């Protein structure tokens, strides 16, 4: 591994997450290439801005591309498209690949590493979980409300040097980054919160976190959903201690009227990541032999609501 | 028992159900007294009309009252208020009671017989299940779309002569009526359909029966909810054969775009009978030691949606 690895990085899916983490690396001085669609011309002209409440990082010149052919082979590809667009990756990614190209998926939920492994080879795949509150602002502008840490791990096998290097680079770029031993366990831990709170936000009539917690029935249901997710993860070999559920409820009380990203998508009429957050975990739980009636109910309701909500 | 029993009948709650069945008895010639609120003056002036697609029964003169004091003691009280108004019965019913007065509740769901027994004595209580499609039309007018049968049974103990007499009178009035041996088992059987289809109608975004059946996920969920309800009933001593669920799904395909009564209430901003249809069955299932995550989820969601839907 050369000391300059990764010399060339692509960001596929330059929404809030891709632009934020890619922008951090570009700001550090990495050679980052963004695949853009809607905001291509604006970013070419004005660059990218990562704005917090108090300050902003402005990147006046970024490598903005309209196609992955235009970018060409890279050392690392940050995959940050919405999981509902995963099929597009089958044609988007090949021009970016050479031997040893690492695919770092920063996507939500379960099934994304498997998808990349199946199509592009398991040895390429690294996963990352983002703990960050972001929104898109004006074209070329990302609003950063808080947090920002990453947890990165190999999809399969023990950590490799390349993954440790990625962690180091993100840290140098100012991103609090952790190397995790069991990536999929981390994904399940995140789902312990996302399945109930993103789900009830939609199914309980556009309910922010505080509204779910204020309704005793919904709060109990959220906690019981957590227990189902923890039980499912455990059956599938991903141990999460039972008290983690109580910790997550306690943590949620500090969030106030936070609106989960799925609710924001739903209200805006955008696609909701139904399969990655509810469908795939539910199917794995069933395969694991877990009775998960609450996960089943919330999955089918969110799926239906998201599908009908998309209609004009 | 005299051959003229019941000589005087009160109908408390003269909505669609109370007016329909009370109207049938009045049409037969029984001495029926209706407690009315909203439509009191109209019914006093114009009487009651039970209208089907093809014909109508017009009762030009009915005994319409504004208070139960005005009605006085009766032989039979037909209780047809919405279950959400059960507390009102504590003051409404006493003026209607003498020794031997029978309370026939035609209300939905679970808990109504228990409520009446607790407040007015278990020996008075008889229950009836209505299988009928009704709507209110103009004031004093009930629209009858189909069916109309009744299943009547003792709340506690073997059938008594009074209950057999009630069955006979309804039959004479042209209502297909069945005497049932185990009333609460019948209530659970009705809930096998009502819990999923009334529940999903609200929780899945105002979905009529055909919409639930057309969505494979929701259809599976409805069927699995039925299994939970059947299991709960069984644990509580009310055996329902497992194939009853499949029969109910098959029957539902014949209903087309039928909108369950709870959905109609919900859309109209009226109170939904959340506790009778979902809350009480769920609590009994939990007490029976049944794992009923689907019932729990649908209960808490409907409760929340109905509560927020009532807000202006």
């Amino acid at each position: 591994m050369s000391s300059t690895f990764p010399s060339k990085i692509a960001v596929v899916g330059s929404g809030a997450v891709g632009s934020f983490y890619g922008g951090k690396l570009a700001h550090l001085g990495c050679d980052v290439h963004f695949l853009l669609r809607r905001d291509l011309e604006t970013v070419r002209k004005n660059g990218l801005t990562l704005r917090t409440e108090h300050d902003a990082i402005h990147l006046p010149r970024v490598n903005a591309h309209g196609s992955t052919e235009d970018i060409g082979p890279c050392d690392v590809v940050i995959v940050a498209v919405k999981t509902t667009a995963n099929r597009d990756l089958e044609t988007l990614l090949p021009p970016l690949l050479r031997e040893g190209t690492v695919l770092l998926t920063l996507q939500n939920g379960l099934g994304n590493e498997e998808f990349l492994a199946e199509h592009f080879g398991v040895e390429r795949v690294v996963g990352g979980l983002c703990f960050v509150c972001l929104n898109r602002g004006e074209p070329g502008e990302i609003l950063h409300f808080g947090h920002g840490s990453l947890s990165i791990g190999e999809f399969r096998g023990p950590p490799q040097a390349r993954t440790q290097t990625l962690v180091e680079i993100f840290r140098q770029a100012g991103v609090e980054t952790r190397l995790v031993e069991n990536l999929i366990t981390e994904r399940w831990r995140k789902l312990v919160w996302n399945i109930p709170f993103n789900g009830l936000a939609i199914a309980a009539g556009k309910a922010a976190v505080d509204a779910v917690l204020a309704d005793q029935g919904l709060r109990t249901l959220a906690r019981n959903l957590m227990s189902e997710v923890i039980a499912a993860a455990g059956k599938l070999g991903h141990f999460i201690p039972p008290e983690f559920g109580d910790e997550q409820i306690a943590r949620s009380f500090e969030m106030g009227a936070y609106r989960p990203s799925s609710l924001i998508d739903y209200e805006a009429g955008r696609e909701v990541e139904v399969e990655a957050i509810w469908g795939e975990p539910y199917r794995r739980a069933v395969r694991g032999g877990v009775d998960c009636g609450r996960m089943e109910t919330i999955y089918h309701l969110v799926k239906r609501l998201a599908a009908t909500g998309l209609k004009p």
Side-chain angles (χ1 to χ4, degrees), chain A:
Chain A
M1 191 188 67
S2 94
S3 64
T4 60
F5 171 90
S7 65
K8 188 176 175 187
I9 299 169
V11 175
V12 175
S14 303
V17 165
S19 299
F20 178 77
Y21 289 105
K24 287 283 194 180
L25 296 180
H27 185 56
L28 174 68
C30 296
D31 181 23
V32 183
H33 296 258
F34 296 86
L35 177 70
L36 288 143
R37 205 163 300 174
R38 205 172 54 189
D39 299 343
L40 177 62
E41 290 314 314
T42 310
V43 173
R44 268 198 178 139
K45 203 171 135 202
N46 304 331
L48 265 180
T49 304
L50 314 182
R51 194 178 298 284
T52 70
E53 204 186 337
H54 305 293
D55 57 8
I57 294 171
H58 181 57
L59 305 163
R61 304 197 57 164
V62 305
N63 304 305
H65 302 265
S67 75
T68 49
E69 286 82 359
D70 193 34
I71 299 175
C74 291
D75 300 296
V76 173
V77 178
I78 295 175
V79 177
V81 297
K82 226 164 175 186
T83 56
T84 50
N86 273 354
R87 295 235 75 97
D88 297 346
L89 297 173
E90 292 176 46
T91 50
L92 285 175
L93 292 195
L96 303 173
L97 304 182
R98 60 173 162 231
E99 202 184 319
T101 300
V102 172
L103 301 176
L104 171 64
T105 164
L106 299 183
Q107 298 167 289
N108 285 320
L110 291 180
N112 303 305
E113 285 86 1
E114 288 81 352
F115 178 87
L116 294 174
E118 188 187 325
H119 288 85
F120 307 106
V122 67
E123 72 286 352
R124 296 186 187 277
V125 182
V126 176
L129 292 92
C130 314
F131 300 88
V132 63
C133 298
L134 298 171
N135 257 321
R136 296 176 81 140
E138 298 295 304
E141 189 182 60
I142 305 301
L143 308 177
H144 178 207
F145 296 108
H147 305 282
S149 71
L150 272 183
S151 292
I152 289 179
E154 295 291 336
F155 173 46
R156 288 282 183 264
Q160 295 181 39
R162 63 181 187 188
T163 307
Q164 184 63 56
T165 305
L166 277 172
V167 169
E168 292 300 332
I169 289 169
F170 276 111
R171 284 178 180 163
Q172 284 171 36
V175 176
E176 189 189 315
T177 306
R178 203 161 70 91
L179 181 66
V180 296
E181 294 263 325
N182 194 328
L183 177 72
I184 304 303
T185 301
E186 296 301 317
R187 292 227 176 269
W188 277 104
R189 287 171 66 94
K190 196 170 176 190
L191 289 167
V192 168
W193 194 89
N194 280 343
I195 287 176
F197 279 95
N198 284 260
L200 295 176
I202 292 174
K206 303 182 178 179
V209 170
D210 58 347
V212 170
L213 293 172
D215 180 314
Q216 201 191 321
L218 293 182
R219 189 172 73 238
T220 302
L221 177 56
R223 181 65 187 83
N224 290 346
L225 265 164
M226 287 180 172
S227 292
E228 274 190 10
V229 178
I230 290 169
K235 280 266 190 180
L236 296 161
H238 303 287
F239 175 74
I240 301 172
E243 64 269 23
F244 185 69
D246 291 333
E247 293 163 21
Q248 292 294 301
I249 293 286
R251 185 175 78 87
S252 305
F253 274 102
E254 296 163 17
M255 292 185 184
Y258 176 68
R259 289 147 40 82
S261 59
S262 302
L263 176 58
I264 293 171
D265 284 341
Y266 177 63
E267 291 195 316
R270 291 192 297 262
E271 280 199 278
V272 176
E273 298 185 293
V274 175
E275 296 307 325
I277 299 178
W278 296 277
E280 188 60 22
Y282 164 67
R283 284 186 289 273
R284 292 189 191 187
V286 169
R287 285 202 297 270
V290 181
D291 186 10
C292 49
R294 296 169 188 83
M295 288 172 74
E296 177 180 303
T297 308
I298 211 80
Y299 164 47
H300 289 306
L301 287 175
V302 169
K303 187 175 177 180
R304 152 89 183 176
L305 293 167
T308 51
L310 276 175
K311 282 183 194 155

